[in-house]
Amino acid sequence: MIRHKCYFSFILYSSSFQTVKCGVPQGSVIGPLLFLIYVNDLPCASSFQTTLFADDTSLHLSHKDIKTLQVNVQNELDKVDTWMRSHRLSINYNITAYMIITTTRSQNCNFKISMNGVRIQQTDSTKYLGVISDNKLSWKPQISSLCGKLSQGCDVMCKIRHFADIKTLRLIYFILFHLHLQYCIIDWGRAYKVVIRPAQVLQNQIVKYKTFSNRTSSASNILKLLKILKVSDLHQLDLEKFVYKYNDDILPSSFDNVFSKLYKW
């Protein structure tokens, strides 16, 4: 037997003291709160409809004419750039992009915008808070990404079903499958049935795995037996919850002028 002796030596260096004029230590508890307070007035800097979530910001502007939209967007971006400079903040241009959402076939290849001399790249889809939106609002990229996650849940269920009872499998279903399926379904659930169908097929597949049913078995009967809602029913339920909250005025104030109430309960 040969034994090796290892010796480690450490050399410590101490830097000189410097005055911190702005910022907080990375990873601090109060850092996110101070940042939100710091950028709280960004929506007032331009005419954009601004959505803030931590350091992820989304800017929205609309117009019927594409050329007028380009001019307006560029003017408002200049205002945002001025605000960023005055607050000593910088933008990561590598992950910054714009998307034109339209149902028409208008040509927008000449649509060009920039910030601080850097041209902003155009994209056909973008991911914000875990939801992928596309320029036609077809929700195809979102559902495609969702089906990838659901397929992984199907694989896990197929393997673990031999070692757990139906009650445990139902709990696993809600953890690995239902959470992904329900997230923001009130938005992507409005897609065409043919677009949503792959998600429904995967749901049918996973409940058949849970109950060791044949491929030809009725998935609707199994879902009723397990008291699990179909994809379309989940969307309808979330939509009804939203309307209920709106009628009871318990939604955020940003929804106050979005809809018109036809009557009071």
Side-chain angles (χ1 to χ4, degrees), residues 87-107:
H87 286 71
R88 298 184 180 181
L89 295 174
S90 59
I91 297 177
N92 188 346
Y93 299 107
N94 295 327
I95 60 175
T96 301
Y98 73 91
M99 181 174 66
I100 300 177
I101 301 176
T102 178
T103 57
T104 64
R105 297 182 178 179
S106 59
Q107 298 293 328

Side-chain angles (χ1 to χ4, degrees), residues 60-253:
H60 311 269
L61 200 63
S62 62
H63 201 279
K64 295 181 179 180
D65 182 65
I66 190 69
K67 294 182 179 180
T68 304
L69 178 63
Q70 178 182 359
V71 174
N72 293 344
V73 169
Q74 186 60 64
N75 292 336
E76 299 306 318
L77 279 179
D78 293 340
K79 296 178 183 178
V80 173
D81 184 50
T82 301
W83 183 92
M84 297 289 290
R85 291 171 176 274
S86 63
H87 286 71
R88 298 184 180 181
L89 295 174
S90 59
I91 297 177
N92 188 346
Y93 299 107
N94 295 327
I95 60 175
T96 301
Y98 73 91
M99 181 174 66
I100 300 177
I101 301 176
T102 178
T103 57
T104 64
R105 297 182 178 179
S106 59
Q107 298 293 328
N108 51 47
C109 57
N110 294 323
F111 196 99
K112 299 178 181 179
I113 56 176
S114 61
M115 290 189 69
N116 192 26
V118 179
R119 182 177 175 181
I120 307 300
Q121 298 298 319
Q122 183 178 3
T123 182
D124 293 333
S125 62
T126 184
K127 188 174 184 180
Y128 187 70
L129 302 183
V131 179
I132 304 175
S133 303
D134 60 279
N135 57 356
K136 298 295 182 183
L137 292 184
S138 65
W139 300 107
K140 290 181 181 180
Q142 166 63 18
I143 296 176
S144 177
S145 175
L146 173 66
C147 288
K149 298 176 182 178
L150 299 184
S151 297
Q152 295 177 359
C154 288
D155 294 339
V156 173
M157 183 65 69
C158 185
K159 296 176 182 178
I160 205 173
R161 61 178 175 165
H162 301 281
F163 309 99
D165 55 21
I166 191 65
K167 184 177 180 180
T168 304
L169 292 177
R170 189 173 187 275
L171 178 62
I172 295 174
Y173 165 84
F174 279 95
I175 295 174
L176 297 181
F177 201 92
H178 185 80
L179 291 179
H180 295 296
L181 195 62
Q182 191 179 31
Y183 183 66
C184 286
I185 193 174
I186 194 173
D187 293 318
W188 62 262
R190 297 175 295 170
Y192 291 116
K193 291 183 179 180
V194 66
V195 179
I196 299 179
R197 178 171 174 76
Q200 184 61 64
V201 170
L202 287 171
Q203 188 189 41
N204 296 342
Q205 183 178 344
I206 197 171
V207 295
K208 290 180 181 180
Y209 283 161
K210 287 174 56 177
T211 56
F212 292 89
S213 302
N214 297 325
R215 294 184 178 180
T216 57
S217 301
S218 174
S220 298
N221 294 335
I222 300 175
L223 288 170
K224 290 181 181 179
L225 180 64
L226 298 176
K227 297 181 179 181
I228 295 175
L229 296 177
K230 296 189 298 183
V231 177
S232 58
D233 294 333
L234 283 173
H235 173 251
Q236 184 65 28
L237 177 61
D238 268 26
L239 188 61
E240 292 176 359
K241 287 181 179 179
F242 178 85
V243 175
Y244 172 81
K245 293 178 180 179
Y246 180 76
N247 285 326
D248 277 19
D249 296 322
I250 54 179
L251 288 176
S253 58

